[in-house]
Amino acid sequence: FALRELFWKLIRFFYWGPVFKARCESVGKNLMITLLPHVSGPLRLYLGDNVHLNGFFGATGSRMFDNPILRFGNDVHVGHMVQFVVNKEIVIEDGVKIASNCSFADTDGHPLDPQRRANDEPPEPDSVKPIRICRNAWIGNGARVLKGVTVGEGAVVAADAVVVKDVPAFSVVAGNPARVVVEDVRLKAAGVL
């Protein structure tokens, strides 16, 4: 067991880490990865300090706009099997925790018009809307965050929620589509609610 663990640590340190860092625009201190992340397309990736990518991590950039950006702040933890589809910009601020099996996409991926879809045309450029996950938010297992959404500071997105509109700061949302189920987690934790 110890030899196997040593082998994987050496692979991460001498191969996966340098290969992934070379693909990024900037990388802060103490990056931790457990598997080689899969990054494709013309994506510009910025990572802050103490970013943890635990398991498979996928990020795809589109050619719809020049230089799509995926930006992680400091102390961001990302679970296994998390996917990002970036056409313009997705920002993950400091202290955000993202559980496993989550996905983020700043576009629908295909046009709404069936004829344009049949012709394999891209979506309209004005249908692409950036995503922002604010400081200390927590995205639960299997959640889907769709285009144009801002998840407020300290908010919680429950497991398997599909987020289609902004989430107020310090609230909890759940369901499909996600709705506010707790107005202010600070008051709930203090026993006021």
Side-chain angles (χ1 to χ4, degrees):
F1 179 78
L3 287 175
R4 189 179 91 197
E5 200 56 33
L6 176 64
F7 172 76
W8 287 114
K9 283 183 180 181
L10 291 172
I11 290 289
R12 282 193 291 269
F13 185 78
F14 288 110
Y15 179 60
W16 292 345
V19 166
F20 180 60
K21 288 177 181 178
R23 180 63 176 83
C24 297
E25 297 290 320
S26 68
V27 178
K29 298 179 292 190
N30 302 322
L31 170 67
M32 200 270 307
I33 59 174
T34 56
L35 294 174
L36 180 62
H38 178 76
V39 180
S40 63
L43 183 63
R44 298 181 72 181
L45 189 55
Y46 299 88
L47 304 176
D49 295 336
N50 305 313
V51 171
H52 292 215
L53 304 177
N54 302 302
F56 177 79
F57 168 83
T60 303
S62 153
R63 297 187 188 282
M64 181 176 286
F65 292 95
D66 290 337
N67 301 317
I69 294 172
L70 176 57
R71 185 180 308 272
F72 288 174
N74 299 325
D75 303 309
V76 172
H77 292 254
V78 179
H80 180 56
M81 296 297 290
V82 175
Q83 286 279 32
F84 292 88
V85 177
V86 187
N87 286 273
K88 197 173 223 177
E89 183 177 47
I90 296 178
V91 175
I92 310 297
E93 293 184 359
D94 296 348
V96 170
K97 309 292 186 244
I98 301 172
S100 298
N101 300 310
C102 294
S103 69
F104 301 79
D106 64 357
T107 183
D108 296 327
H110 298 284
L112 293 177
D113 177 52
Q115 187 58 46
R116 292 191 63 228
R117 261 194 325 270
N119 293 338
D120 207 21
E121 295 178 33
E124 297 291 333
D126 62 348
S127 72
V128 177
K129 296 182 171 82
I131 294 172
R132 178 173 292 274
I133 311 299
C134 296
R135 291 171 26 94
N136 300 319
W138 175 22
I139 311 299
N141 189 58
R144 307 288 181 250
V145 180
L146 304 181
K147 67 180 185 179
V149 167
T150 296
V151 175
E153 179 180 355
V156 176
V157 175
D160 296 319
V162 178
V163 186
V164 296
K165 63 182 183 177
D166 291 351
V167 176
F170 302 105
S171 65
V172 178
V173 297
N176 179 5
R179 292 180 179 85
V180 174
V181 294
V182 176
E183 296 286 334
D184 192 326
V185 293
R186 297 170 299 179
L187 295 176
K188 180 91 171 166
V192 175
L193 290 178

